[in-house]
Amino acid sequence: MSEMQADKVLDAQGLKCPMPIVKARRELDALAPGAVLKVIATDKGSVLDFQGWARTNKVAELLGQETERAADGSDRFLHFLRRK
Amino acid sequence: MIDEKKAIEASAVMGLLGDLKDRVDALESRLDTEVADIRAQLPAERAAIVLFSGDLDKVLAAFIIATGAATIGLETTVFFTFWGLTVLKRKRVLKGKNLMERMMAVMTPETSRGLDPSKMAYFGAGAAMLRQMMKAKDVTSLEDMIELSRECGVRFVACEMSMDLMGVSQDELRSDADLGGVATFLGEAVNARLALFI
C-alpha cells in the first residue's frame, strides 16, 4: 500500500494519453490549495508524462510517484499531486 | 549638555541605519525571488523534436538536426509518434497482435532500413537510390546517424498512445527508448530553445 495520503483519488486506469493529465487537471482545479490528488494510471507513459506536466503547469506540484503490482500481475502507476 | 545631544544624534543615526538595513534586506529578498521567476521563464538549453513522419528523407533531416543540436550543447529529446515509431523498431513481432494490428505491422517497415522517401518511393527503388547516392557522397547513413545521436546524448521517447493504437509493442522497439505522452513532450518543449514537428 502507498505511504502517501491523498485527499482525493482519481481512477485513470485504462485511460490513454492525454486523458490522465486532462482529468487530473480538472480534479485539481476543484481542490483547495495544499490538497493532494492521487492518480492511479495503467499507462506506463504516465510516469514521464506527469513529470513533464509537473514541470510546466502552474496548478500543482508532483510530490511523488509509485509503482504498484496489481493482483493480476499488471502495474499500476500512482502519481501524487499537490494543488498550489 | 553637548554629550547628551551627541548621544541623541547617534541613536537617531543608528535608528536610520537599522531602517536602511531592513529596507536593503527586503529589497534583496524581493530581487532574489524576482530573478528566480525570470530565470524560470528563460529558455532552457534544450531541444525537443517530434518525429511523426516515417519518410526516409524527413527522418534523416530530423536526426541531423537532433545530433547537431546535441553537439551545440542542447539537451535534445526526440519524440517518436505514429509513422516515426518505425525508426525505433528493431524487429517485427506478430504474436499477440489482432488482425488489424498484424496488417499494420506488415504494411509498415520492419526497421528504419525499410523506410521510403517522401517523394519518388517507387516501391523501394527511391530509397535504394537515395541511400546509394548518400554513400557515394559520404553522407552518413540513417542507421549510423541514429547511433551517433544516441552517442551525443540525444534521448528517445516513444509515444505510448500511438504504440497502443498501431499495436506496436515495447519489445519491438529499441531498449533505450522511454515511453511517454504529450506532457512528456511539453515538459521538454515549453521552455526549449528549439521545438520542431517533423
Side-chain angles (χ1 to χ4, degrees):
Chain A
M1 261 317 275
S2 158
E3 297 283 314
M4 258 183 260
Q5 292 298 309
D7 300 293
K8 184 104 205 256
V9 178
L10 169 65
D11 184 0
Q13 294 177 75
L15 295 184
K16 312 260 188 250
C17 167
M19 291 323 286
I21 51 167
V22 172
K23 291 210 164 184
R25 169 72 204 223
R26 269 194 212 152
E27 292 289 344
L28 282 161
D29 279 343
L31 288 181
V36 175
L37 176 71
K38 173 181 169 180
V39 182
I40 309 169
T42 43
D43 210 29
K44 196 175 175 191
S46 68
V47 177
L48 281 184
D49 244 21
F50 274 101
Q51 289 171 15
W53 188 70
R55 202 155 67 195
T56 44
N57 91 90
K58 294 197 165 39
V59 294
E61 58 175 327
L62 185 63
L63 296 179
Q65 294 179 305
E66 290 169 19
T67 307
E68 221 175 55
R69 185 59 50 97
D72 64 355
S74 64
D75 284 330
R76 302 265 180 284
F77 304 98
L78 311 181
H79 314 281
F80 294 88
L81 300 148
R82 181 166 40 208
R83 178 80 159 93
K84 280 186 192 164
Chain B
M1 200 56 183
I2 290 167
D3 280 353
E4 209 175 294
K5 205 177 159 192
K6 269 193 182 157
I8 291 167
E9 270 174 14
S11 86
V13 168
M14 290 304 281
L16 211 64
L17 278 177
D19 279 355
L20 267 177
K21 193 184 172 298
D22 287 349
R23 284 173 65 185
V24 168
D25 285 350
L27 268 176
E28 241 176 55
S29 76
R30 212 180 88 194
L31 201 66
D32 283 348
T33 43
E34 277 180 16
V35 167
D37 276 357
I38 292 169
R39 282 229 174 97
Q41 288 170 37
L42 281 179
E45 298 301 304
R46 283 201 300 265
I49 299 172
V50 176
L51 183 53
F52 177 93
S53 170
D55 293 333
L56 177 62
D57 40 8
K58 292 185 187 176
V59 173
L60 189 65
F63 273 93
I64 292 169
I65 297 168
T67 310
T71 63
I72 62 165
L74 298 181
E75 218 178 279
T76 305
T77 309
V78 181
F79 296 86
F80 299 84
T81 187
F82 285 90
W83 314 112
L85 280 173
T86 303
V87 179
L88 291 177
K89 271 163 77 177
R90 53 183 181 87
K91 61 176 178 186
R92 180 187 283 149
V93 180
L94 295 179
K95 225 179 130 193
K97 284 185 166 60
N98 66 30
L99 180 66
M100 295 284 235
E101 289 169 348
R102 247 182 264 167
M103 274 169 63
M104 195 62 128
V106 173
M107 287 157 73
T108 51
E110 189 168 1
T111 68
S112 65
R113 290 181 195 280
L115 297 177
D116 279 327
S118 60
K119 300 250 189 289
M120 307 194 295
Y122 304 128
F123 303 101
M129 204 172 93
L130 187 63
R131 282 183 184 269
Q132 198 168 353
M133 286 170 80
M134 283 168 66
K135 207 169 181 177
K137 294 182 182 175
D138 281 331
V139 177
T140 311
S141 76
L142 174 60
E143 287 66 34
D144 286 351
M145 210 63 204
I146 295 170
E147 296 312 318
L148 190 64
S149 74
R150 283 290 298 152
E151 282 166 32
C152 291
V154 174
R155 184 175 161 226
F156 292 172
V157 179
C159 164
E160 194 180 20
M161 194 273 280
S162 53
M163 283 171 65
D164 274 347
L165 182 67
M166 299 169 85
V168 176
S169 61
Q170 203 176 359
D171 58 343
E172 287 176 283
L173 304 185
R174 296 169 63 104
S175 55
D176 56 2
D178 295 326
L179 297 188
V182 67
T184 316
F185 165 68
L186 290 174
E188 295 295 322
V190 164
N191 267 354
R193 293 252 174 217
L194 181 77
L196 297 174
F197 183 95
I198 298 175

